[in-house]
């Protein structure tokens, strides 16, 4: 699956080892009060495979977050507040899917979520779980950055100073998530952050099906094509291919958003 809108593109693949794609993404643009340049929105969700109906969870979360942002941003709600509201709406949408009759003894439908709103010379990211966002400047002599911190066992071990990052991610428990959307989520702890880089580049939002093959900011920058800001859809395709060449053990979904807003390639769905 792939889609391109003015200023944003995304691609998704089920990978080489899964029989279905449990990821979901949505792209849209939203008018902003007093601005001739619309905000650009991308939301990426990763269904939790150990839950029931993870594909439905990710689709519901992506759609709910998109709809909330489309409602809030044109009303003048600032992107960080709009993103926080969107994460809450997504959480409620996934929780509402829980059905003991359909799910049997399985865990309730669940997913992770990451999204970005690029508005003018600033962008906001929001997330729950271990889907990630990265900043990749067009000038590759400038540093790239990972913008999100995983809700995962490995991240907790590193944050607590109990293990090095290398040791934590080598542990079999590394990718056990500690935050997700779903009726059985222990708590709702959304994260948002805003950035104003002051230079052109791209925001990359993706599932772990990609970042497992480009984990650090430097590795992600190396994987992103040099012309990604001008050609986001070919860049998204290239990143999916990068994951497939690396082994493609999971579903792979990535959105590429040129920054600043209005600076990227235009296309159609």
């Amino acid at each position: 699956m792939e889609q391109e809108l003015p200023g944003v593109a995304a691609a998704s693949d089920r990978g080489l080892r899964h029989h279905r794609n449990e990821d979901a993404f949505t792209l849209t643009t939203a008018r902003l009060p007093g601005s001739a340049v619309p905000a650009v929105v991308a939301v990426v969700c990763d269904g939790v495979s150990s839950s029931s109906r993870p594909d439905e969870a990710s689709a519901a979360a992506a759609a709910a977050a998109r709809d909330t942002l489309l409602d809030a941003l044109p009303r003048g709600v600032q992107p960080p507040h709009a993103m926080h509201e969107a994460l809450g709406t997504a959480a409620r949408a996934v929780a509402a899917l829980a059905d003991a009759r359909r799910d049997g003894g399985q865990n309730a439908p669940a997913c992770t979520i990451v999204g970005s709103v690029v508005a003018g010379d600033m962008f906001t990211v929001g997330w729950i779980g271990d889907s990630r966002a990265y900043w990749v400047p067009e000038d590759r002599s400038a540093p790239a950055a990972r913008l999100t911190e995983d809700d995962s066992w490995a991240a907790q071990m590193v944050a607590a100073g109990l293990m090095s990052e290398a040791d934590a991610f080598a542990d079999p428990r590394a990718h056990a998530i500690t935050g997700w959307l779903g009726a059985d989520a222990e708590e709702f702890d959304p994260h948002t952050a805003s950035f104003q880089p002051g230079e052109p580049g791209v925001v990359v939002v993706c599932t772990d099906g990609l970042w497992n093959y480009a984990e650090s900011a430097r590795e992600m920058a190396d994987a992103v094509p040099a012309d990604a800001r001008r050609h986001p859809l070919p860049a998204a395709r290239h990143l999916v291919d990068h994951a497939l060449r690396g082994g493609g053990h999971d579903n792979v979904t990535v959105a590429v958003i040129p920054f600043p807003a209005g600076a990227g390639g235009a296309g159609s769905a």
Side-chain angles (χ1 to χ4, degrees):
M1 295 176 61
E2 58 186 40
Q3 184 182 14
E4 185 176 25
L5 298 177
V8 61
S12 183
D13 192 282
R14 71 178 183 180
L16 303 179
R17 303 187 186 181
H18 285 249
H19 70 281
R20 66 177 177 181
N21 194 342
E22 296 169 354
D23 291 354
F25 70 83
T26 57
L27 309 178
T28 192
T29 58
R31 293 189 178 276
L32 298 175
S35 175
V37 179
V40 178
V41 174
V43 178
V44 168
C45 298
D46 184 355
V48 176
S49 294
S50 60
S51 71
S52 64
R53 299 178 283 135
D55 53 329
E56 293 182 32
S58 57
R66 175 201 61 206
D67 291 348
T68 298
L69 290 165
L70 276 176
D71 174 69
L73 293 169
R75 292 190 286 108
V77 179
Q78 292 301 303
H81 300 292
M83 180 63 75
H84 190 278
E85 184 180 341
L87 294 174
T89 304
R92 291 188 292 274
V94 178
L97 294 175
D99 184 336
R101 292 171 299 176
R102 294 183 65 188
D103 301 335
Q106 291 185 280
N107 296 327
C111 68
T112 68
I113 186 170
V114 62
S116 182
V117 176
V118 175
D121 62 353
M122 181 176 291
F123 64 86
T124 296
V125 296
W127 73 99
I128 299 173
D130 64 351
S131 292
R132 292 183 178 181
Y134 292 81
W135 163 250
V136 179
E138 191 167 49
D139 177 3
R140 297 306 169 83
S141 66
R146 195 178 105 196
L147 307 173
T148 56
E149 291 294 335
D150 300 342
D151 292 317
S152 71
W153 181 90
Q156 283 192 341
M157 293 299 103
V158 175
L162 299 175
M163 300 179 74
S164 70
E165 189 168 16
D167 288 343
F169 277 99
D171 192 283
R173 297 165 290 183
H175 290 283
I177 57 174
T178 57
W180 63 90
L181 305 182
D184 57 358
E186 295 179 1
E187 60 181 18
F188 177 64
D189 185 22
H191 317 287
T192 62
S194 295
F195 304 90
Q196 194 169 13
E199 61 182 321
V202 294
V203 182
V204 176
V205 293
C206 64
T207 61
D208 62 350
L210 171 59
W211 67 251
N212 276 325
Y213 302 101
E215 197 278 330
S216 71
R218 181 72 265 168
E219 290 170 328
M220 184 61 72
D222 289 343
V224 172
D227 62 351
R229 190 170 71 93
R230 296 183 299 280
H231 304 290
L233 181 57
R237 291 170 176 162
H238 177 85
L239 289 168
V240 169
D241 288 342
H242 175 82
L244 297 180
R245 290 192 303 270
H249 80 277
D250 200 354
N251 305 147
V252 186
T253 302
V254 58
V256 177
I257 316 172
F259 176 87
S268 59

